[in-house]
Amino acid sequence: MTQTVDQTAQETNFVGKRTRRQDAPEKLTGRTRFAGDISAPGLLHARLVLSPYAHATINNIDVSEALNVPGVVAVYTSETLEMANPDATSRSQAPLARGEACWAGHPVAIVVAETEAAAEDGVALVDVDYDPLPVVLDPVEAMRPDSPLTRLHASKEGGEIAGGGAHAAVGSGDTEEEEQEELSANVSGKTHMKLGDIEAGWREAEVVIEHTVSTRPVHQSYMESQSILVSPSPSGHQLVVWPSAQGMLGVRSDISEALNLPERQIRVESVPIGGAFGGKFGLIEPLAAAVAYKVRKPVRLSFTRQEDLLAGNPAPQAVITLKLGAKKDGTLVALQGKAIFDSGAYPGAAAGLGGYLLASIYRCPNVDLHCYEVLTNKVSVGAYRAPNAPQATFAMETTVNKLCEALEMDLLAFRKHNAFKEGDPTIDRRNWPRIGLLECIDELEKHPLWVNRAEEKQKLPAELKGWKVGIGISVGGWPGGTEPSAAACRLESDGTLSVVLGTVDLTGSDTSMALIAAEGLGVSLDQVNVVHDSTDTMPYSGGTGGSKTTYSMGPAVLSAVRDARQQILNIASNMLEAAEADLEIVEGKVAVRGVPNKSVDLKEVAKMSTRRFEPVYGRGRAGITTSSPMFAAHLVKLAVDPDTGDVKVLDYVAVQDVGRAINPAEVEGQISGGVTQGLGWALFEGYEYDENGQLLTPTLMDYALPHSFDVPQITPILVEIPSALGPFGAKGVGEPPVVPVAAAVANALYDALGVRVTTIPATPERIFNALHEANQA
C-alpha cells in the first residue's frame, strides 16, 4: 500500500499520474539491446589479466606464449598500450598496472582475440614475474606513520568520487587544515570541518556518549556488468563508442584525454543501460578505446561477474567514531567525530562529502569533524547510490539512539527537537531551503506500526516462535546534485513531438520527461516521444546520478516545450486568423479558446511549418545551481533468532519527501528498490578479505545479495513539499531510500536483543558474537 501526503495545490493533467514506463515492453520482452548485445563486423573480444597478488612489483610481463594461441590478435601492457597519461592518479586514465600491482584483481594486461575462448586461453598464458610486497588492508592501520605504503608512489592528492558534482552539490564549508598530524603517505586526503567551539559544547553538555561503527565495501550489483564496444571508423580517424555508462559526454571526454584525441573524433552512441547505481561513471571506456585504436578493429570488453567484483569500483569501507553531547532536555550541543573512508588503491572516496553528511541531519552549534581518505591494497572505490550517506547515517542514527537511551527520551521526540528545518545554517555556511525532514518524521510518528509498536512486538508468525521482535527507526537524506542541461523539442510531420535529450535513462527518467513535455505542451502522453542523439548532436547533459536527472533536466525540457508551444501558436494564429493569446492546445489540436469548433490539428500545423513557416524546433536550457535536499524517515519491524542470529525483516515503512512525484509509480519503485538495496547493506552484502588481501567473496556464490524472500512488504509514503526550482515542484528521489535502512535495521536489532551490532552487514555470525560478548560481560 502506498500513501501520498500532498502539500501542493498545483493542478496538472499528466504530471502526478501513475504511468507505465515507456521502455517497459521492450525490456520485459527481452528485445532491448544492451552494450554487450551489440556486434560489429570483425569484432574482437578483450579479456583482462588480473594480478593474483594484493601488492607486488611487476618485474616482467612475457606475452609470447599468449600471442601463439590461435585467434589471439594482440596483448597489451601499460608500456605497449601507450596511453597519454600512464602515470595518472585516475584509474580510468591509467587502467593497467605499471610496475606495481596494488590489489588482487588489478589489471596488468589485456588480451585481444577473435573469440572469447581464445582471449581466455591467452590470458592464462601471459606470464607475469611478481615480487610480493607488504599488504595493508586495515584503513586505520594504514594511517599510522610506520605503516607500509600501499603504493610505492602513494598519491597525496585526495580524489573526487566518480561522477563528482553529479552526485552532490555541496560546498567545502568552514574547513580548517588539521595541525600537523603524523600520518603515513597512505592518507590521500583529509578534511577538518568546524562550527562553533567544540570545547564550549562539551562544557554545556549534560549527557555525553561515544559510539564507533564500521562498514564493509559493497558492490553496486547491477544486472549488466561493465561493458563497452568501440569501433574505429574505416579511416581510423574516428572512434564510435557504445558504452554501458551513466554519462555520454563524460565518456567522450575521458577517451579524448586518455588517447590525446580531439573530442570531435569520438562519437558516443546512446545505449540502454542495465543498471549502474553510481558504478558506471567511467572505468573501462578509455582502456577499451585505446585497444580498439591500436588494433584498428572493433573491440568489446565485458566483465564477467567475477571480474566485476574483483576489478569494479564498490562503495568504500568506513570506520566512524562519533561523540555527541546534549542537554537533559534533549538539545544537541556538541558533535565530534572521526570518519575514515577506505579508498582502496586509488584516491576517490570523497571523505569530505562523508563529513558533510554527518552534519546534515541535526542542528548542532558546535561541530568538529575530522575526515580521512585512506589508500589500502583493495580494489579502488567509486560511487554507490548516495555515496557515503549509508555509512554516515548508520553511524549517526545508531549513535543518536544510544544518546536517546541515555537521555531517557523518546526516539522521535529527540529527532523532531533537533532536526534541521528551513533557514537553519548548513555546515558549509549556507542555509537550508524548504525541506521535508520534519514532515517525514511526523508521518512516521502517525503510522500504525509506530503508534501500536508495543502490540506489534507481540505479533509473530508461528514459524518464528521463540524469536525476538524489534522495531527500529532512522532518518537520513541526500543534498542532491546540480548540473546545467539543455533539451530540444521537434514537431514531427505527424503532429507528434520528439524530445531530444542527452541523458541516460537509468530509472524511467525518459517517461518522466515525456510527462513533463506532455504537460507543458498540452498534448497526450502518446503524442510525445523521447529520443537520444549521439554526442555529435545531443544537447548538453551531464551524468545521470545524484538524484538530479529530473531535477536538472526537467526544467530544460519544460523550457524547450514552451518554446515549441509558442512557435506552434504563432503558426496556428496565422492559420486561424486569431490572436495567439486566444489560442490553446487541447487534445492534439490548437483551438480558439471558447470556440472549440474553430481549431487546427497539430499535424496540419506541422505541415505548414515546413511549407510556409519556420520548422517548429524548441530549445531549452537550464542552469540550476542550488540543490533541493531530500529526506526520508524509515521504520522497520524484524524478528531475530537469539540462538543463531538469523534475521527476518517483517515489515517496512519508508516516508520520503519527493517534492512532487512526476510519475508516482516510478517513485514508489525507486523507494522499494532503494530499501531492498539498503537491506543488502544492513544484513547481507560486504567484501571480505583474508590476511593476504585475497577477496573471499569473488562470486555471487560468496557475495550474498538479498533474495526475493528476504524482502518484506514495503510501504512507501510520499510527502510532497514542492521544490521552488524543480519542474512542477519535483525533487530527486533515487538516493534517499537506501540511506536510513542499515541504521533502522541496527536500531531494531538493539530493540529486539538489547545488544548493539556495530559492523554491517549484521550477519548471523556478528549478531551471535555480539550476544555472546554481552552474556560474557
Side-chain angles (χ1 to χ4, degrees):
M1 181 181 68
T2 301
Q3 304 173 38
T4 301
V5 181
D6 188 357
Q7 299 197 15
T8 173
Q10 186 176 8
E11 293 295 330
T12 52
N13 295 316
F14 304 104
V15 165
K17 306 297 189 293
R18 298 172 63 85
T19 306
R20 186 181 71 177
R21 283 176 53 161
Q22 294 185 333
D23 60 345
E26 293 289 316
K27 287 183 175 176
L28 290 173
T29 56
R31 293 195 294 266
T32 300
R33 305 285 287 176
F34 297 94
D37 299 319
I38 300 170
S39 191
L43 178 65
L44 300 178
H45 302 268
R47 290 253 68 85
L48 298 173
V49 178
L50 303 180
S51 168
Y53 294 98
H55 197 197
T57 55
I58 299 173
N59 298 319
N60 184 58
I61 303 176
D62 185 352
V63 304
S64 57
E65 290 298 318
L67 289 171
N68 289 330
V69 173
V72 169
V73 174
V75 182
Y76 295 111
T77 66
S78 177
E79 285 74 17
T80 59
L81 192 55
E82 300 175 342
M83 296 179 72
N85 307 298
D87 296 315
T89 57
S90 162
R91 182 178 159 195
S92 68
Q93 293 297 308
L96 299 178
R98 189 175 183 85
E100 179 184 17
C102 296
W103 80 89
H106 196 164
V108 299
I110 188 167
V111 177
V112 190
E114 295 171 353
T115 66
E116 288 191 38
E120 291 173 3
D121 290 343
V123 165
L125 292 175
V126 173
D127 184 18
V128 185
D129 179 17
Y130 297 98
D131 277 337
L133 293 169
V135 175
V136 182
L137 301 173
D138 184 343
V140 177
E141 293 297 320
M143 294 175 65
R144 301 184 185 281
D146 58 352
S147 170
L149 292 180
T150 58
R151 299 174 66 93
L152 294 180
H153 304 289
S155 170
K156 293 299 290 182
E157 300 176 4
E160 184 181 70
I161 203 160
H167 294 295
V170 300
S172 58
D174 184 15
T175 60
E176 291 190 5
E177 189 63 32
E178 173 66 7
E179 59 275 7
Q180 291 301 313
E181 297 177 88
E182 291 192 37
L183 300 170
S184 76
N186 297 324
V187 176
S188 56
K190 59 182 181 178
T191 301
H192 185 189
M193 307 182 84
K194 292 185 69 176
L195 185 68
D197 183 344
I198 192 64
E199 294 304 324
W202 296 131
R203 289 191 295 270
E204 191 177 1
E206 296 172 294
V207 177
V208 176
I209 57 95
E210 192 167 353
H211 189 52
T212 299
V213 302
S214 63
T215 71
R216 306 300 298 160
V218 178
H219 194 269
Q220 297 87 351
S221 300
Y222 28 70
M223 293 183 70
E224 177 199 23
S225 66
Q226 298 275 351
S227 301
I228 186 173
L229 185 147
V230 183
S231 179
S233 65
S235 67
H237 293 301
Q238 185 179 49
L239 292 175
V240 185
V241 185
W242 292 268
S244 178
Q246 291 178 247
M248 296 164 62
L249 290 172
V251 168
R252 185 179 70 172
S253 296
D254 287 347
I255 294 174
S256 171
E257 181 182 353
L259 303 188
N260 198 22
L261 286 176
E263 290 190 350
R264 64 179 179 273
Q265 291 182 222
I266 302 157
R267 185 173 84 240
V268 182
E269 297 284 352
S270 177
V271 186
I273 183 170
F277 307 110
K280 294 179 179 176
F281 269 107
L283 183 65
I284 64 172
E285 293 84 9
L287 173 60
V291 172
Y293 192 66
K294 286 282 276 188
V295 297
R296 293 292 194 267
K297 289 185 178 181
V299 173
R300 176 192 292 150
L301 174 60
S302 294
F303 278 13
T304 65
R305 188 61 61 182
Q306 185 171 24
E307 286 172 337
D308 226 318
L309 286 162
L310 286 167
N313 53 356
Q317 174 182 351
V319 180
I320 302 174
T321 297
L322 294 180
K323 184 179 178 183
L324 298 181
K327 297 179 180 179
K328 288 182 179 179
D329 67 355
T331 302
L332 193 61
V333 294
L335 162 61
Q336 191 169 41
K338 181 177 183 180
I340 301 168
F341 290 90
D342 183 346
S343 195
Y346 284 80
L353 175 58
Y356 179 92
L357 293 165
L358 285 169
S360 293
I361 301 177
Y362 302 112
R363 287 188 309 278
C364 186
N366 306 294
V367 178
D368 185 49
L369 294 171
H370 297 257
C371 307
Y372 303 87
E373 177 184 282
V374 184
L375 301 176
T376 60
N377 293 121
K378 302 192 188 91
V379 63
S380 62
V381 302
Y384 181 11
R385 200 172 193 161
N388 293 351
Q391 302 97 312
T393 304
F394 172 55
M396 177 57 70
E397 287 296 277
T398 54
T399 308
V400 162
N401 265 34
K402 192 173 179 181
L403 177 59
C404 289
E405 183 181 32
L407 289 166
E408 298 182 350
M409 188 171 183
D410 178 79
L411 300 174
L412 288 181
F414 176 90
R415 288 170 167 85
K416 291 173 70 173
H417 183 58
N418 292 286
F420 277 121
K421 60 183 184 298
E422 183 179 8
D424 286 339
T426 65
I427 189 67
D428 58 350
R429 292 299 191 272
R430 295 183 287 183
N431 292 96
W432 287 101
R434 183 75 173 94
I435 57 176
L437 176 54
L438 285 170
E439 288 82 355
C440 288
I441 296 173
D442 286 340
E443 288 304 313
L444 202 67
E445 190 173 35
K446 293 187 291 188
H447 195 275
L449 183 56
W450 179 255
V451 173
N452 304 318
R453 56 192 179 279
E455 294 88 340
E456 288 287 342
K457 291 185 66 172
Q458 304 305 313
K459 298 178 182 178
L460 191 65
E463 65 271 18
L464 302 181
K465 183 179 179 180
W467 289 37
K468 302 293 185 181
V469 178
I471 292 178
I473 63 167
S474 174
V475 302
W478 181 247
T482 62
E483 198 160 11
S485 58
C489 293
R490 184 175 64 236
L491 184 64
E492 306 293 358
S493 60
D494 60 358
T496 61
L497 189 74
S498 292
V499 180
V500 187
L501 303 177
T503 51
V504 175
D505 184 4
L506 272 175
T507 56
S509 60
D510 278 4
T511 305
S512 295
M513 297 305 158
L515 286 165
I516 290 170
E519 193 71 52
L521 189 60
V523 299
S524 63
L525 187 63
D526 59 10
Q527 290 181 270
V528 178
N529 182 39
V530 175
V531 297
H532 298 274
D533 280 355
S534 74
T535 51
D536 280 356
T537 54
M538 62 177 265
Y540 179 81
S541 174
T544 297
S547 296
K548 73 167 182 62
T549 306
T550 299
Y551 181 71
S552 293
M553 180 56 74
V557 170
L558 196 55
S559 175
V561 167
R562 287 170 175 166
D563 185 20
R565 184 178 186 276
Q566 188 60 44
Q567 295 173 37
I568 291 169
L569 295 181
N570 179 265
I571 295 171
S573 71
N574 285 276
M575 297 174 68
L576 295 170
E577 297 181 343
E580 291 181 28
D582 294 332
L583 301 180
E584 62 182 351
I585 301 177
V586 181
E587 297 181 353
K589 296 181 179 181
V590 183
V592 177
R593 191 175 287 107
V595 191
N597 291 331
K598 190 175 183 181
S599 63
V600 60
D601 287 339
L602 282 177
K603 187 174 182 179
E604 292 301 316
V605 174
K607 288 181 180 179
M608 293 300 292
S609 74
T610 56
R611 293 178 182 177
R612 289 180 49 197
F613 302 96
E614 295 177 346
V616 175
Y617 192 80
R619 292 173 292 184
R621 298 176 297 167
I624 296 176
T625 58
T626 302
S627 64
S628 289
M630 304 144 264
F631 286 92
H634 287 195
L635 171 63
V636 62
K637 175 183 175 181
L638 56 76
V640 56
D641 185 345
D643 295 327
T644 65
D646 285 336
V647 175
K648 178 72 173 176
V649 181
L650 302 174
D651 200 0
Y652 207 101
V653 179
V655 185
Q656 185 169 321
D657 170 25
V658 301
R660 177 74 184 275
I662 301 295
N663 182 1
E666 186 58 35
V667 171
E668 293 158 11
Q670 283 286 289
I671 291 175
S672 295
V675 169
T676 301
Q677 286 186 310
L679 292 174
W681 280 76
L683 296 170
F684 302 99
E685 299 183 52
Y687 280 32
E688 298 293 340
Y689 292 86
D690 69 12
E691 65 277 8
N692 298 313
Q694 297 299 313
L695 184 62
L696 300 176
T697 52
T699 72
L700 294 184
M701 293 292 289
D702 313 292
Y703 183 89
L705 289 166
H707 291 274
S708 58
F709 50 76
D710 296 312
V711 181
Q713 171 182 289
I714 300 170
T715 301
I717 298 177
L718 310 186
V719 175
E720 295 192 318
I721 308 243
S723 162
L725 301 172
F728 300 99
K731 299 176 183 176
V733 299
E735 253 77 6
V738 75
V739 173
V741 183
V745 168
N747 288 335
L749 287 172
Y750 179 77
D751 185 54
L753 301 173
V755 298
R756 300 191 187 279
V757 180
T758 58
T759 298
I760 55 171
T763 58
E765 180 182 9
R766 289 191 174 113
I767 294 171
F768 180 85
N769 289 339
L771 282 167
H772 179 73
E773 290 171 7
N775 291 333
Q776 292 295 316

